[in-house]
Amino acid sequence: MYKGMNQTAAQHLLSSMLPYDSMGGMGLYEQTKPSLMYRVPRVIPDQKGRFESDELFRRLSRESEVRYVGFRDRPLEERQMRFAAGCREGHAEIAIVATGTNFQLVFGPGTWGFSSDANRDCDFDKEPGKVHIKSRFILNGVCAKWRGWLDLDRLDGVGCVEFDEEAARIEDVYRREQVERFNQRLREFEEDQRAYRNHHVAAAVERQSQSEHNNPDMVDARKKMDLSAGHAPH
């Protein structure tokens, strides 16, 4: 979301932005058949440190002008109706004016995953003629939320991105559990491999011993090898 960001870079940034859905995201951590395939966690270990030190988040954390960018080819009256309807359904596409980068905001019931008043995620009553929005998401491995408002007539407003402390704690628990499950599967896999190798080595020794026992020529050859090596014959 840097100024002058080209379309390809903007698309790449949006591809790393996940709607925050704790309950829906549980699928990433469900117990499945034993596998060593490692699923990259949705969040990084030090989310707050990244949010405070990363230049991208520093830019996004400043309040800046935003605009609704949905249905740009339609008349203003229709766009106003579609914007209001989309907000009531729990979604809105906005762009940060300074960078021209889009955010697909998702909010309302089912997007928080824990106790929340969904009416406050999209509040039409706080100020006449405006809608106040809160939208949680995961961006570059960090739990964050966009907070701001838009004018229902002009379809523009002001907002910023904040670090989402509560969501970060929840996601970090999932991340730790996911890593621990993978490490446990890795330990079990290594133990199975050792047992497999030991079993086949023992079986090979047993087959060789049985073959020598059943073949007198091999027994004689073994005795000659022991004598040439200075060992007493068995």
Side-chain angles (χ1 to χ4, degrees), residues 115-204:
S115 179
S116 171
D117 183 355
N119 291 329
R120 291 187 298 175
D121 300 349
C122 180
D123 190 347
F124 286 90
D125 301 324
K126 188 173 183 178
E127 286 187 79
K130 296 181 181 179
V131 57
H132 286 255
I133 296 173
K134 293 179 184 176
S135 175
R136 281 179 157 154
F137 48 84
I138 298 174
L139 177 62
N140 292 350
V142 177
C143 288
K145 57 186 174 184
W146 186 87
R147 176 186 56 80
W149 59 268
L150 284 89
D151 187 283
L152 293 171
D153 292 327
R154 300 195 312 269
L155 302 181
D156 61 9
V158 174
C160 65
V161 173
E162 301 173 341
F163 179 62
D164 194 336
E165 194 92 37
E166 188 174 8
R169 286 196 299 269
I170 293 174
E171 284 291 328
D172 194 60
V173 170
Y174 295 154
R175 181 191 65 81
R176 293 173 186 272
E177 292 176 351
Q178 182 182 1
V179 171
E180 177 55 33
R181 280 198 294 270
F182 175 79
N183 289 337
Q184 178 63 30
R185 289 198 302 268
L186 182 60
R187 289 191 292 267
E188 293 172 355
F189 176 78
E190 291 173 344
E191 291 172 1
D192 290 343
Q193 289 296 300
R194 281 195 296 271
Y196 178 83
R197 288 193 297 269
N198 292 340
H199 171 74
H200 281 270
V201 168

Side-chain angles (χ1 to χ4, degrees), residues 51-66:
F51 186 89
E52 293 175 346
S53 62
D54 189 87
E55 177 63 22
L56 169 63
F57 287 111
R58 281 202 293 266
R59 288 173 177 263
L60 293 177
S61 63
R62 302 170 191 148
E63 283 201 342
S64 56
E65 184 182 357
V66 298

Side-chain angles (χ1 to χ4, degrees), residues 7 26 33 42 46-47 92 114 137 152 172 183-184 187 203 207 230:
Q7 184 177 4
M26 286 292 287
K33 295 180 179 179
R42 303 202 303 175
D46 185 11
Q47 299 181 60
F114 44 85
F137 48 84
L152 293 171
D172 194 60
N183 289 337
Q184 178 63 30
R187 289 191 292 267
R207 286 195 300 270

Side-chain angles (χ1 to χ4, degrees), residues 67-72 79 93-95 102-103 155:
R67 289 177 184 166
Y68 172 64
V69 293
F71 304 96
R72 294 189 226 194
R79 295 185 69 227
E93 185 178 351
I94 66 170
N102 292 11
F103 270 130
L155 302 181

Side-chain angles (χ1 to χ4, degrees), residues 7 21 29-30 40 50 52 55 74 87 92 121 148 161 228:
Q7 184 177 4
D21 184 353
Y29 309 100
E30 291 174 351
V40 178
R50 169 68 68 81
E52 293 175 346
E55 177 63 22
R74 309 305 301 164
C87 287
D121 300 349
V161 173
S228 64

